[in-house]
Amino acid sequence: MMIFSNAVVSVALLMFLGGISSFISFHKHLLNSLLSLEFMMLSSIWLLCLQFSPVGNEVYFGLFFLSLVVCEGALGLSLLVYIVRSHGNDYFKSFNMLEC
């Protein structure tokens, strides 16, 4: 049974807050927004794995959520490719959401 210190949890929370701040401040490109969302998901998976580590099944839990994050990343990249092919770039200001 592994007990993690408060420093590890605070680093994971700092990662999550860094992802939120980059999502809010760097929203000019769609790729920047997708990368910050992916960073937030990975930090939340890390927090969940730290929370469920005394249970003993954190490996299966982490792999399940990691596979969900991979599917989300693949879907985001496919949408990014579609938007770049249809609009020519990934600026948020260059396309209207009703056209997509």
Side-chain angles (χ1 to χ4, degrees), residues 72-99:
E72 178 255 336
L75 180 66
L77 285 176
S78 66
L79 287 174
L80 178 70
V81 167
Y82 175 74
I83 288 172
V84 167
R85 284 186 181 175
S86 64
H87 294 284
N89 55 17
D90 67 336
Y91 292 121
F92 276 122
K93 292 183 180 180
S94 69
F95 57 92
N96 190 1
M97 287 299 191
L98 296 176
E99 293 177 2

Side-chain angles (χ1 to χ4, degrees), residues 23 26 39 57 86-87:
F23 183 71
F26 301 117
F39 192 67
N57 291 330
S86 64
H87 294 284

